[in-house]
Amino acid sequence: MSGGSPAGGVPTVGRREWNEEYRRGRWRYLGEPDEAARYQAIVARILTAGATEVLDLGCGEGLLARHLETAGFTGRYVGVDWAHSALPPTGGPNRRFVCANLAQLPVRGQFAVVVLSEVLYYLDDPDRALAEALALVAPAGELVVSLYRPAAERHPGWHSLISDLATRLAGLAGDQGALIGSAGHRRWSMHVVTRLPNPGLD
């Protein structure tokens, strides 16, 4: 992950600021009930895909890992975030957390499901991030992307950026379309892209 953003009106946040925000509890609301529906939709997708390994890019405090555990997921989980203060102090059986920049991932191999949950719009180069995330998806596996969908009149900069990202996701080969959901005042979309086998590369 990097700290910049490609769109005007969207704040730039550096690594030190991310660490401070997590220490102060700025992102604690992600663990509140209004967010549970979004995590549950991602978990349902992972379970439906029959995935045995999940890579969670921009995992924050590991909330997806908790929801997966509650749902009975026993496969391999790797969470990556560059805010050290966000990451849980320990992993657990089949669970690993890595502090790293998403632009310089130390992760190797391929995963049945790779998740980008409300992280893509914080990156300097979303297109590169999407390409690199897809490269980590096993053939016939899935890239699952969750995007916050703010109202245009309240957050015009965010709305413009996220609408553009949603359009790019819809244009990817293997795109299965988007699921739109909401809870409380939060509205989000979940995009699923299947990595199509490439006989020349896979």
Side-chain angles (χ1 to χ4, degrees):
M1 179 184 281
S2 60
S5 175
V10 178
T12 297
V13 182
R15 189 172 201 172
R16 180 180 298 176
E17 293 169 283
W18 277 110
N19 274 303
E20 283 303 312
E21 287 189 352
Y22 273 108
R23 287 191 189 101
R24 293 196 310 264
R26 163 69 176 81
W27 301 100
R28 198 166 294 145
Y29 75 90
L30 292 173
E32 295 176 356
D34 280 0
E35 295 296 322
R38 180 172 59 82
Y39 283 111
Q40 288 165 6
I42 296 172
V43 167
R45 188 71 215 181
I46 291 169
L47 297 180
T48 297
T52 56
E53 60 277 324
V54 174
L55 175 62
D56 185 7
L57 300 176
C59 67
E61 296 173 309
L63 293 173
L64 177 58
R66 294 183 212 169
H67 282 275
L68 281 167
E69 184 176 13
T70 299
F73 178 79
T74 58
R76 176 185 174 218
Y77 168 93
V78 178
V80 181
D81 202 283
W82 81 332
H84 187 271
S85 62
L87 296 172
T90 58
N94 296 325
R95 189 190 298 181
R96 178 181 169 219
F97 292 100
V98 180
C99 184
N101 190 328
L102 296 194
Q104 299 172 320
L105 280 172
V107 179
R108 297 293 178 266
Q110 293 184 319
F111 295 76
V113 174
V114 175
V115 178
L116 286 164
S117 180
E118 298 214 19
V119 66
L120 197 57
Y121 28 73
Y122 292 114
L123 306 179
D124 287 326
D125 192 343
D127 289 322
R128 178 183 171 186
L130 281 172
E132 292 182 351
L134 270 172
L136 290 166
V137 178
E142 295 181 346
L143 173 65
V144 178
V145 182
S146 171
L147 299 175
Y148 171 46
R149 301 305 293 265
E153 60 274 14
R154 292 188 60 194
H155 305 286
W158 280 106
H159 184 271
S160 175
L161 170 60
I162 293 170
S163 294
D164 182 53
L165 290 173
T167 299
R168 290 187 229 180
L169 284 163
L172 290 177
D175 169 60
Q176 296 185 27
L179 168 70
I180 306 296
S182 64
H185 67 285
R186 295 275 291 173
R187 187 170 181 266
W188 47 269
S189 60
M190 184 179 74
H191 306 257
V192 178
V193 180
T194 300
R195 184 178 179 194
L196 304 176
N198 186 330
L201 297 177
D202 298 322

